[in-house]
């Protein structure tokens, strides 16, 4: 009897430990990694209370956050090769991934800022962007999503198709195709239009990832410029 | 009567012409190359003529084409010796003045030696030593075909310096120190009147042709080298002969405008044993006086405008208190107060490649159109 109880306790312990390992394994699997950093980029792990300086090559696990500063950029590459995110300046983004067999269903929450994306055609897995006012499902497309200071979400589609649903009010749905843009106001109203010249500039800028430097060497010191060149 | 006077005048002019032409003396200059201490003297002392000897010296004559006779003397003072003794002397047959080397003394198609004399004891002593040692004095004298003296040059080679030749002697082993040439006038950053732009430079021995190159500098951001080489210079490698001071205006292909900045460089060709080499002055920049603001300030003004735009954008984005903002504000103030000198700047890309002013201007224009694409603008003081 005593041995039986001990055996059961042991079994339970082993079972919990296994579950623990399994859970830990799921959380420990990187979904993405930081491919490139320009200037001020920080990240926060799930259990950390403070932001730490991000470095190129740092793996990102489900639930971790990235924050970019003024004139900064982080390039985030998904480990399953499904796409690339360009986290532009003054943005905060959470990355989530749920492994389902071979698939990873990805969901990126944009708290604020602008994220340029280039996502390969998805087979069965999901690729979603969530903002305070909308959720966008991507099936293989490129464009950008921007969350303004008042939580207005703007979705600009360069090519492909994006299904968008408002999370506020009547929770309306809409589809944005290449060359079109969509805006969801803080009260959930959806406005669709062609990409405006201003949005077009932002779209082009959102694609830039390489910076160039020039320096002017004078007797008193060196003036340095760092900029995104015309051709990327 | 009128006829007589005019005939007299013609005769006078004719006689004057002959006498002037006769007065034009042939100037000689002797150059000795660096290789002398490395040369075996046996090659010289045992050679029948000089045509097969190593090339160690050059004689420059101006003008060319006059009938001349050259007398040459080589004198030697042994190590610790007190006086020079004649080692070798020669007189050539008449020939037309020209530049030549020691190995051009040749009975065949060259400058023929008429008479020569040598001190066999001293030659034997030199041969025993094998290499040049002590001090040598090389003298060249030029006469016209009637043995009227024209000019003389001499070179001393040796380590022991008699008081009389200090400063003229080139020590063996340290012979012919690299010659340099420098622009004496105008000085760097000088402001000159449009009327007279006098350029003066130091003389280089053995050079009879100097070449002048001058061009406009579009902006302070254009390096002096880039400014000199861009487009077609308004004085484009003009051969100004052997004068070492010119009025630049006499060689200009275009008119100058007040406020413009000019860069100038002089070069000359020095003939050595291994062939000709060019030596150059540093490039000197100067500006031309103008009532208005100098044209060259354009680039600085463009940079100032860009910084103002960038500061504006950064402030709007809440960066007005940042350290980078303060650095940029200080830079703008330094530019406006002229605290940063753009005399000789270098503009480089991140690969270290030097950019031309035109390339830089293109980038500046691009950033002025897209200030938000500028990710950083910083000043790192020395």
């Amino acid at each position: 009897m005593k041995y039986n109880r001990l055996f059961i306790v042991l079994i339970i312990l082993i079972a919990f430990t296994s579950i623990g390992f399994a859970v830990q394994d799921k959380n420990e699997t990187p979904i993405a990694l930081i491919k490139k950093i320009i200037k001020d980029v920080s990240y926060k792990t799930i259990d950390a209370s403070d932001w730490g300086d991000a470095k190129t090559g740092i793996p990102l696990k489900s639930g971790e956050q990235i924050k970019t500063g003024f004139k900064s950029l982080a390039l985030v590459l998904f480990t399953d090769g499904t796409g690339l995110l360009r986290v532009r300046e003054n943005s905060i983004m959470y990355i989530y991934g749920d492994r389902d067999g071979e698939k990873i269903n990805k969901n990126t929450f944009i708290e604020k800022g602008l994220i340029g994306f280039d996502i390969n055609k998805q087979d069965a897995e999901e690729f979603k962007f969530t903002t305070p006012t909308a959720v966008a499902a991507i099936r293989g497309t490129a464009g950008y999503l921007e969350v303004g200071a008042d939580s207005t979400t703007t979705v600009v589609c360069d090519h492909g198709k994006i299904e968008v649903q408002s999370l506020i009010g009547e929770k309306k749905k809409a589809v944005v195709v290449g060359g079109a843009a969509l805006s969801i106001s803080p009260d959930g109203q959806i406005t669709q239009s062609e990409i405006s010249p201003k949005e077009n500039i932002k779209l082009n800028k959102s694609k830039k990832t390489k910076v160039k430097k020039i320096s002017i060497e004078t007797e008193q010191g060196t003036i340095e410029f760092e900029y995104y060149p015309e051709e990327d | 009567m009128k006829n007589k006077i005019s005939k007299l005048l013609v005769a006078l002019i004719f006689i004057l012409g002959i006498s002037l032409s006769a007065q034009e003396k042939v100037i000689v200059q002797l150059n000795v190359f660096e290789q002398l201490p490395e040369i075996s003297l046996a090659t010289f002392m045992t050679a029948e003529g000089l045509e097969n000897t190593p090339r160690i010296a050059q004689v420059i004559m101006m003008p060319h084409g006059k009938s001349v006779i050259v007398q040459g003397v080589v004198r030697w003072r042994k190590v610790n010796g007190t006086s020079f003794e004649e080692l070798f002397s020669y007189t050539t047959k008449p020939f037309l003045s020209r530049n030549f080397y020691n190995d051009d003394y040749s009975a065949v198609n060259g400058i023929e030696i008429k008479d020569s004399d040598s001190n066999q004891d001293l030659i034997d002593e030199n041969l025993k030593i094998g290499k040049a040692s002590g001090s040598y004095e090389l003298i060249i004298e030029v006469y016209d075909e009637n043995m009227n003296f024209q000019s003389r040059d001499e070179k001393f080679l040796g380590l022991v310096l008699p008081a009389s030749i200090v400063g003229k002697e080139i020590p063996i082993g340290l012979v012919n120190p690299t010659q340099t040439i420098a622009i004496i006038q105008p000085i760097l950053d000088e402001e000159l009147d449009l009327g007279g732009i006098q350029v003066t430079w130091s003389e280089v021995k053995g050079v009879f042709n100097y070449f002048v190159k001058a061009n406009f500098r579009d902006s302070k951001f254009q390096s002096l080298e880039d400014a000199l080489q861009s487009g077609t210079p308004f004085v484009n490698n003009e051969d100004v002969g052997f004068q070492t001071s010119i009025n630049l205006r006499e060689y200009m292909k275009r008119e100058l405008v007040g406020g413009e900045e000019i860069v100038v460089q002089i070069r000359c060709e020095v003939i050595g044993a291994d062939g000709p080499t060019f030596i150059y002055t540093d490039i000197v920049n100067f500006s031309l006086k103008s009532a208005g603001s100098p044209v060259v300030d354009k680039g600085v003004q463009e940079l100032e405008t860009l910084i103002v735009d960038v500061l504006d954008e950064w402030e709007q984005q809440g960066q007005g208190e940042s350290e980078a903002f303060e650095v940029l504000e200080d830079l703008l103030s330094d530019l406006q107060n002229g605290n940063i000198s753009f005399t000789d700047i270098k503009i480089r890309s991140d690969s270290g490649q030097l950019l031309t002013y035109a390339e830089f201007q293109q980038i500046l224009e691009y950033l002025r159109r897209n200030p938000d694409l500028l990710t950083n603008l910083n000043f790192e003081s020395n």
Side-chain angles (χ1 to χ4, degrees), chain B residues 55-224:
Chain B
R55 183 170 281 192
I56 60 152
Q58 180 201 32
V59 176
I60 292 174
M61 289 183 177
M62 283 294 280
H64 292 178
K66 301 263 176 190
S67 184
V68 291
I69 292 167
V70 166
Q71 281 190 347
V73 180
V74 180
R75 299 170 74 210
W76 181 53
R77 187 184 59 205
K78 59 185 84 172
V79 176
N80 298 326
T82 52
S83 61
F84 280 95
E85 292 173 273
E86 194 170 299
L87 197 63
F88 181 76
S89 65
Y90 62 89
T91 305
T92 67
K93 287 182 181 173
F95 64 96
L96 294 179
S97 61
R98 62 179 169 98
N99 299 344
F100 62 93
Y101 297 92
N102 59 287
D103 55 339
D104 287 335
Y105 287 114
S106 161
V108 186
N109 299 325
I111 298 163
E112 290 184 60
I113 305 283
K114 186 183 162 198
D115 298 313
S116 66
D117 191 21
S118 59
N119 183 329
Q120 199 53 49
D121 290 344
L122 290 182
I123 287 177
D124 289 345
E125 207 171 325
N126 265 273
L127 282 172
K128 273 185 206 165
I129 300 165
K131 297 267 178 190
S133 71
S135 297
Y136 295 83
E137 184 185 25
L138 282 76
I139 303 164
I140 287 274
E141 286 179 348
V142 179
Y143 298 85
D144 68 12
E145 55 195 353
N146 300 315
M147 288 311 283
N148 293 314
F149 177 75
Q150 301 290 295
S151 62
R152 180 181 198 272
D153 195 18
E154 60 189 19
K155 284 283 178 295
F156 293 89
L157 302 146
L159 287 169
V160 185
L161 304 176
S164 60
I165 58 165
V166 166
K168 289 194 232 168
E169 183 162 324
I170 305 167
I172 286 180
L174 302 166
V175 289
N176 270 0
T178 309
Q179 299 206 75
T180 56
I181 179 171
I183 292 176
I184 299 162
Q185 186 195 6
I187 55 169
L188 215 64
D189 265 341
E190 194 174 351
E191 201 180 32
L192 300 177
D193 285 322
L194 264 169
I197 307 160
Q198 201 68 29
V199 181
T200 309
W201 56 92
S202 59
E203 187 190 343
V204 177
K205 294 216 169 205
V207 169
F208 278 84
N209 294 82
Y210 295 94
F211 299 87
V212 179
K213 194 172 187 178
N215 208 351
F216 301 104
R217 191 185 186 196
D218 292 334
S219 154
K220 291 284 185 197
F221 289 101
Q222 190 174 30
S223 72
L224 302 185

Side-chain angles (χ1 to χ4, degrees), chain B residues 254-266:
Chain B
R254 296 201 291 271
E255 193 42 67
L256 303 175
V257 180
E260 281 179 318
E261 184 172 337
I262 309 292
V263 286
V264 63
Q265 186 179 49
I266 314 295

Side-chain angles (χ1 to χ4, degrees), chain A residues 61-195:
Chain A
K61 289 159 241 153
S62 186
E64 295 188 338
Q65 298 173 63
I66 284 192
K67 185 167 77 173
T68 54
F70 180 60
K71 299 282 182 188
S72 305
L73 168 76
L75 270 191
V76 175
L77 183 73
F78 288 96
T79 51
D80 60 358
T82 50
L84 182 78
L85 303 183
R86 296 178 288 267
V87 188
R88 310 306 312 194
E89 63 176 330
N90 300 323
S91 300
I92 299 177
M93 180 190 93
Y94 293 67
I95 198 155
Y96 296 100
D98 184 22
R99 194 173 280 276
D100 182 8
E102 290 297 304
K103 300 184 300 179
I104 305 175
N105 295 321
K106 292 161 289 272
N107 193 343
T108 300
F109 177 69
I110 306 167
E111 190 177 304
K112 69 164 190 168
L114 189 149
I115 314 286
F117 56 86
D118 214 327
I119 307 297
N120 301 328
K121 195 166 172 26
Q122 304 291 292
D123 293 325
E125 61 263 59
E126 288 180 342
F127 199 116
K128 283 181 182 172
F129 284 105
T130 308
T131 74
T133 55
V135 60
I138 313 286
R139 289 282 175 202
T141 186
Y144 76 79
L145 264 101
E146 185 178 25
V147 177
D150 63 349
S151 295
T152 298
T153 299
T154 305
V155 183
V156 171
C157 184
D158 187 22
H159 60 263
K161 194 168 81 172
I162 306 166
E163 290 162 16
V164 185
Q165 184 180 10
S166 167
L167 296 175
I168 313 284
E170 294 173 28
K171 299 187 177 173
K172 285 180 182 171
K173 286 184 178 176
V175 173
V176 199
V177 291
L182 177 149
S183 173
I184 299 154
S185 65
D187 60 1
Q189 293 301 312
I190 296 179
T191 315
Q192 277 187 277
S193 63
E194 284 186 356
I195 298 175

